Each structure stands twice: as C-alpha cells, then as structure tokens.
C-alpha cells in the first residue's frame, strides 16, 4: 500500500494558508491547478475544539494516469491511524467512452498493519468525460461521513471518528495529480473554562468546609424532555461552587458523559447559576455538548437543598439532579 507508507517519510508541505475568522477555521486553495507529486502531503489542522468541519480535496487525473489519493485521520502516530483511499488503475488507452473502474477503501492501520478494510467499487455514476475526482470528510452533530464523487456525489458512507485523536487531517498522493480544490472549514468554538480547583481532591476539601446550602455534589436523577429537541449524552455528575470573582455559582462537570470525552473532562465549567433575587431560583448559563453557550430563558432551581433542576423552555426540557456525597 504505497500511499500509506508515504506518511512515514513525507515532508509536510501544506499548499494553502490557514486563516482564523471569528467562530470558524477556514483555509482554501482552488485557483489554478497545482501539481501534486507522490510523497507530497497536504495538512489540514483542525481547531482544538469544534462543532463541525468540512474537508474537501478535488484532484484532476487524466484517464491514462493512475488515480491514488488517501486521507488519513485519527492519527495517533505513524503506525496507528484510520485511512480512506480513492484509487483507479490507468486505462490501457485514453478511452473517453468507458470510465475505468474506481474503488474506495476504508481501513484502520494498527501497529503498522492494515485491518478492517472495507472496499467498494464505485463505477456507477462515473463519466469518462471528466478527469476530476473529489473526496470529502464531513462531521457534524457527532456524525462523520465520507463522500466521494466527480461532478456529483456517487458514494457516501458513515465513518467511525475518534474526536480525541483529531488534531489534523492528512492528504497523501500515491501518483502525480493536479490539485483543483483544497478547502477546510471548521466551526470552531471557544476553549472550555476550567474551574479554579486543581483537582477533585482540592474541591472536596473546599466543599467539606462549606456551609453554603447551594454548594455541593449532584448526580443525574431524571428528566422530562423531547429527545428530538434536546438530549443528555450520559448521567452527568456535577458540583456547584460559589464563584470567586462574581455573584452566583459555577456548575463544574465531574464526569458521566463518555461520548463527550474529547470536549468535556473533569473540572471544566459546565455552566453558571446567576442570582435573580428569589431564594433558590437562578438564571442559568449552560454550555452544551459542543461548548456553545445556552442562556436564552434557561433557569434553575435548588429545592430544599436536595434537588437541582435545570429548565430549558425553548427546548421543552427540564433535567433534575439529586444531592449526593462525593463518593456517589
């Protein structure tokens, strides 16, 4: 698998500049076709935190040349990564009537060995009159999709994507080609805010001495919600602690949502309880799964020092937590 080996020795040669814009990461190059030689690598760095991204590479390869482009993602090191490869053998002659068979393979490289390979022949929808081929990786709402095509989409498959190992995407060229379009757009989000406590032990020591009834540990109890409008990816464990530099309380995430591990780790601030003038009732600022701030009409109640209820009326949802010991 020549295109896979290229990652071991390739010098990273990005062909496009990266530009930061508010709320997004974008770079693109699609002016004049640029020659892309074997062992050249295009690198798409992803932002540290993102809600979605769209990576697109379009190349031009004449029918009498070999098509071979690969996309590497979830790369831990040079021996462990996931791979998508679009390839085609050259036609024996420059046949402009029948398109040569094109294949797409999705596989995992583990300890330098290719495993779990899934190969598809995608001849239907191809045209011999086009020398352009596109490969896209789209990710949004926790779902990642691979798309391939020419003038239109001819293949689509959902992929397993590890958001923890997602610092960059690498495009490799197994044979000479011309880059017609190379774009990356990512919906970048702010880095999460960390609690003032260094770790769970220091928080526990603080709460052990606290006499504030609104401070303490909370675990998920139940909910009343529309799953099509709002969902909770796990049984959250939270803590509420008084803010040092402002009124109200921090809601600190302690765990319980393994699917959100890339974005949420223990001791990050999940939201704020802001005072309203009514005892036990607060305005709520909540950071969702992707780190976006949700605060429109959201509120919270702490009742009898034993239950914490979060209200999201625009989503038709409420979620309750019960008071807990740290060891729960």
């Amino acid at each position: 698998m020549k295109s896979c080996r290229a990652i071991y020795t390739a010098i990273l040669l990005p062909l496009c500049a990266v530009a930061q814009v508010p709320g997004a990461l974008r770079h693109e190059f699609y002016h004049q076709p640029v020659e892309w030689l074997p062992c050249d690598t295009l690198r798409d760095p992803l932002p540290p935190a993102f809600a979605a991204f769209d990576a697109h590479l379009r190349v031009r390869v004449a029918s009498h040349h070999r098509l071979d482009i690969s996309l590497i993602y979830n790369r831990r090191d040079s021996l462990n990564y996931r791979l998508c490869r679009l390839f085609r053998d050259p036609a024996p002659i420059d046949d402009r009537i029948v398109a040569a068979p094109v294949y797409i393979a999705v596989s995992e490289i583990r300890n330098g060995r290719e495993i779990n390979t899934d190969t598809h022949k995608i001849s239907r929808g191809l045209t011999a009159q086009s020398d352009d081929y596109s490969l896209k990786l789209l990710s949004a709402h926790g779902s990642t999709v691979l798309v391939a095509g020419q003038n239109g989409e001819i293949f689509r498959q959902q992929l397993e994507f590890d958001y923890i190992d997602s610092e960059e995407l690498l495009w490799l060229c197994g044979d000479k080609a011309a880059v017609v379009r190379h774009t990356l757009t990512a919906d970048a989000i702010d880095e999460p805010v960390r609690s003032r406590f260094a770790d769970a032990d220091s928080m526990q020591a603080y709460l052990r001495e606290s006499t504030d009834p609104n401070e303490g540990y909370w675990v998920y109890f139940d909910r009343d919600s529309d799953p099509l409008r709002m969902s909770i990816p796990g049984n959250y464990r939270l803590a509420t602690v008084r803010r040092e530099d402002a009124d109200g309380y921090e809601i600190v995430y302690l765990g319980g949502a393994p699917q959100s591990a890339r974005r949420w780790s223990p001791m990050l601030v999940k939201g704020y309880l802001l005072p309203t003038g009514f005892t036990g009732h607060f305005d709520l600022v909540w950071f969702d799964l992707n780190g976006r701030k949700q605060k429109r009409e959201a509120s919270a109640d702490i009742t009898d020092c034993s239950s914490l209820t979060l209200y999201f009326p625009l989503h038709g949802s409420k979620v309750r937590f019960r008071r807990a010991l740290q060891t729960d």
Side-chain angles (χ1 to χ4, degrees), residues 131-291:
D131 292 331
D132 289 3
Y133 296 87
S134 280
L135 198 61
K136 288 185 179 183
L137 194 64
L138 312 174
S139 183
H141 308 296
S143 176
T144 303
V145 177
L146 175 69
V147 177
Q150 281 186 310
N151 300 323
E153 177 184 322
I154 58 176
F155 176 83
R156 173 179 288 256
Q157 177 176 316
Q158 189 164 342
L159 299 180
E160 182 179 352
F161 189 88
D162 188 347
Y163 285 85
I164 297 176
D165 293 314
S166 58
E167 295 182 356
E168 64 182 4
L169 307 174
L170 296 175
W171 302 92
L172 303 178
C173 176
D175 209 332
K176 181 179 177 181
V179 176
V180 179
R181 179 184 177 108
H182 175 210
T183 63
L184 169 69
T185 58
D187 184 3
I189 51 183
D190 293 335
E191 282 292 286
V193 177
R194 187 165 185 85
S195 166
R196 68 180 184 271
F197 299 98
D199 51 39
D201 290 340
S202 60
M203 174 182 284
Q204 184 179 24
Y206 167 84
L207 289 175
R208 189 180 292 121
E209 302 297 323
S210 173
T211 58
D212 187 334
N214 294 326
E215 293 185 313
Y217 294 102
W218 309 91
V219 295
Y220 171 78
F221 183 59
D222 63 11
R223 62 185 170 185
D224 180 6
S225 62
D226 181 350
L228 298 179
R229 299 170 65 185
M230 181 178 177
S231 63
I232 295 183
N235 296 329
Y236 283 156
R237 301 191 306 276
L238 306 172
T240 49
V241 294
R242 184 173 290 279
R243 302 172 73 185
E244 281 192 320
D245 56 352
D247 293 334
Y249 300 85
E250 287 182 351
I251 303 174
V252 181
Y253 174 76
L254 299 178
Q259 294 180 355
S260 309
R262 180 185 181 275
R263 170 68 187 183
W264 293 103
S265 59
M267 309 310 296
L268 295 181
V269 174
K270 198 72 172 71
Y272 300 102
L273 300 176
L274 306 180
T276 63
F278 297 94
T279 301
H281 182 71
F282 304 89
D283 288 331
L284 173 65
V285 176
W286 183 257
F287 297 101
D288 67 13
L289 175 66
N290 295 313

Side-chain angles (χ1 to χ4, degrees), residues 78-142:
S78 61
L79 298 178
N80 297 276
Y81 52 90
R82 291 191 173 109
L83 171 74
C84 299
R85 181 179 173 223
L86 184 67
F87 58 99
R88 181 206 66 196
D89 289 331
I93 59 173
D94 191 4
D95 192 337
R96 307 303 292 178
I97 299 176
V98 178
V102 176
Y103 300 88
I104 190 164
V106 178
S107 59
E108 181 178 356
I109 310 302
R110 188 180 301 171
N111 296 324
R113 294 187 176 184
E114 187 175 22
I115 63 173
N116 302 328
T117 301
D118 187 14
T119 303
H120 303 269
K121 183 178 180 180
I122 52 173
S123 296
R124 185 175 180 180
L126 293 177
T127 171
Q129 281 68 46
S130 176
D131 292 331
D132 289 3
Y133 296 87
S134 280
L135 198 61
K136 288 185 179 183
L137 194 64
L138 312 174
S139 183
H141 308 296

Side-chain angles (χ1 to χ4, degrees), residues 34-53:
V34 171
E35 187 177 57
W36 194 21
L37 300 176
C39 293
D40 281 356
T41 305
L42 305 181
R43 176 177 174 267
D44 285 341
L46 293 171
F50 57 83
F53 68 82

